[in-house]
């Protein structure tokens, strides 16, 4: 049985991009698949999402990316654009079988080509490159239905899933808040795969029994994996605002 690895991300967070690369390596050749959940770090901003704190890119983002094998030349232009439209687009892309390709294109457009991913025209062009219908995509990201679904996902993440930052990874009973090392993530994935082959223990039979995998609504009485904060991005270094 393929194990699901849940990942919360935001398109304007470089740590989400770095984690995506680490995850791809950790899952290579393993019977596990990621389930990506959009998480808008600054959902209440009007048009813009602030800026990266001074020095964070040179002192944290770029070194951490290099350590994890991800090259990031420099920060996107300021002010940071809100990611809501791009996240709505991800929902549409995922529904049409192009979630992974669309995500790669959006991250690349923002962090490598410094494009404005709050612009529907930019996003529509990326959607077409991902193999999606331009008109259908534009209609989706402008629709009330997708906006409602996005708000419901945010409420679920901030409530039952206890997500307050990105990235967050849940693999079985292991939860990682922040960018994992390759070894740490591979170990968590291996544990989740091993646990999936063990017969399920009835709920209430002991600590950790029947832990929710976060892919569906949590049944009554099911415990959540407790957050295990990591230095984010590294001890003694300033975090990105809101991530």
């Amino acid at each position: 049985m393929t194990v699901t690895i849940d990942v919360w991300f935001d398109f304007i967070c470089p740590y989400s991009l770095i984690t995506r690369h680490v995850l791809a390596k950790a899952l290579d050749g393993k019977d596990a698949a990621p389930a990506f959940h959009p998480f808008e770090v600054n959902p209440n901003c009007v048009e813009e999402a602030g800026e990266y704190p001074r020095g964070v890119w040179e002192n944290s983002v770029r070194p951490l990316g290099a350590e994890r094998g991800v090259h990031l030349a420099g920060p996107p232009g300021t002010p940071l654009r809100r990611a809501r439209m791009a996240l709505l687009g991800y929902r549409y892309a995922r529904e049409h079988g192009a979630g992974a390709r669309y995500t790669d294109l959006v991250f690349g457009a923002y962090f490598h080509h410094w494009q404005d991913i709050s612009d529907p025209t930019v996003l529509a062009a990326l959607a077409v490159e991902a193999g999606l219908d331009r008109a259908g995509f534009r209609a989706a990201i402008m629709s009330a239905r997708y906006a409602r679904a996005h708000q419901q996902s945010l409420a679920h993440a901030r409530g039952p899933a206890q997500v307050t930052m990105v990235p967050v990874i849940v693999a079985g009973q292991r939860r990682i808040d922040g960018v994992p090392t390759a070894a740490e993530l591979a170990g968590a994935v291996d544990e989740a795969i091993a646990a999936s082959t063990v017969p399920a223990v009835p709920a209430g039979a002991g600590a950790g029994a029947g832990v929710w995998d976060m892919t569906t609504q949590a049944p009554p009485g099911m415990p959540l994996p407790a957050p295990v904060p990591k230095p984010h991005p590294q001890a003694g270094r300033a975090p990105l605002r809101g991530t």
Side-chain angles (χ1 to χ4, degrees):
M1 179 181 69
T2 300
V3 171
T4 298
I5 309 300
D6 291 286
V7 184
W8 281 264
F9 74 99
D10 191 342
F11 280 126
I12 65 169
C13 175
Y15 302 115
S16 292
L17 171 61
I18 295 169
T19 295
R20 184 173 175 81
H21 282 262
V22 176
L23 183 66
K25 294 179 180 179
L27 297 184
D28 187 29
K30 297 183 179 179
D31 192 15
F36 290 99
H37 308 289
F39 183 79
E40 192 176 2
V41 174
N42 293 297
N44 298 319
C45 61
V46 178
E47 292 292 341
E48 301 161 356
E51 60 185 13
Y52 296 119
R54 181 173 299 179
V56 73
W57 201 270
E58 291 298 327
N59 297 328
S60 175
V61 173
R62 185 182 287 173
L64 186 61
E67 183 181 311
R68 303 294 196 272
V70 180
H71 173 70
L72 292 168
T78 57
L80 305 181
R81 309 306 296 181
R82 79 181 305 176
R84 180 167 299 179
M85 262 324 165
L87 295 172
L88 294 180
Y90 170 75
R91 181 177 296 274
Y92 177 86
R94 184 180 60 191
E95 290 176 356
H96 290 79
R101 176 60 176 157
Y102 172 84
T103 299
D104 287 339
L105 288 169
V106 173
F107 271 130
Y110 190 60
F111 287 109
H112 296 297
H113 302 291
W114 302 344
Q115 295 183 28
D116 182 358
I117 62 169
S118 68
D119 185 339
T121 301
V122 171
L123 292 174
L126 297 174
V128 170
E129 190 173 347
L132 297 166
D133 175 70
R134 184 187 299 270
F137 177 86
R138 286 188 66 98
I141 65 175
M142 302 300 291
S143 72
R145 180 171 72 86
Y146 276 76
R148 284 195 301 270
H150 177 68
Q151 292 297 338
Q152 290 168 357
S153 294
L154 286 181
H156 172 76
R158 295 184 184 278
Q162 305 177 62
V163 175
T164 60
M165 56 166 281
V166 287
V168 171
I169 303 169
V170 173
Q173 298 186 39
R174 290 275 299 278
R175 171 172 172 154
I176 303 170
D177 289 49
V179 181
T181 65
E184 180 181 23
L185 185 52
V189 172
D190 288 341
E191 286 181 14
I193 293 173
S196 71
T197 64
V198 178
V201 179
V211 173
W212 175 42
D213 67 3
M214 289 190 170
T215 59
T216 58
Q217 184 175 357
M222 286 287 190
L224 296 175
V228 181
K230 291 174 57 60
H232 183 70
Q234 289 186 1
R237 291 178 175 173
L240 289 186
R241 185 174 302 167
T243 64

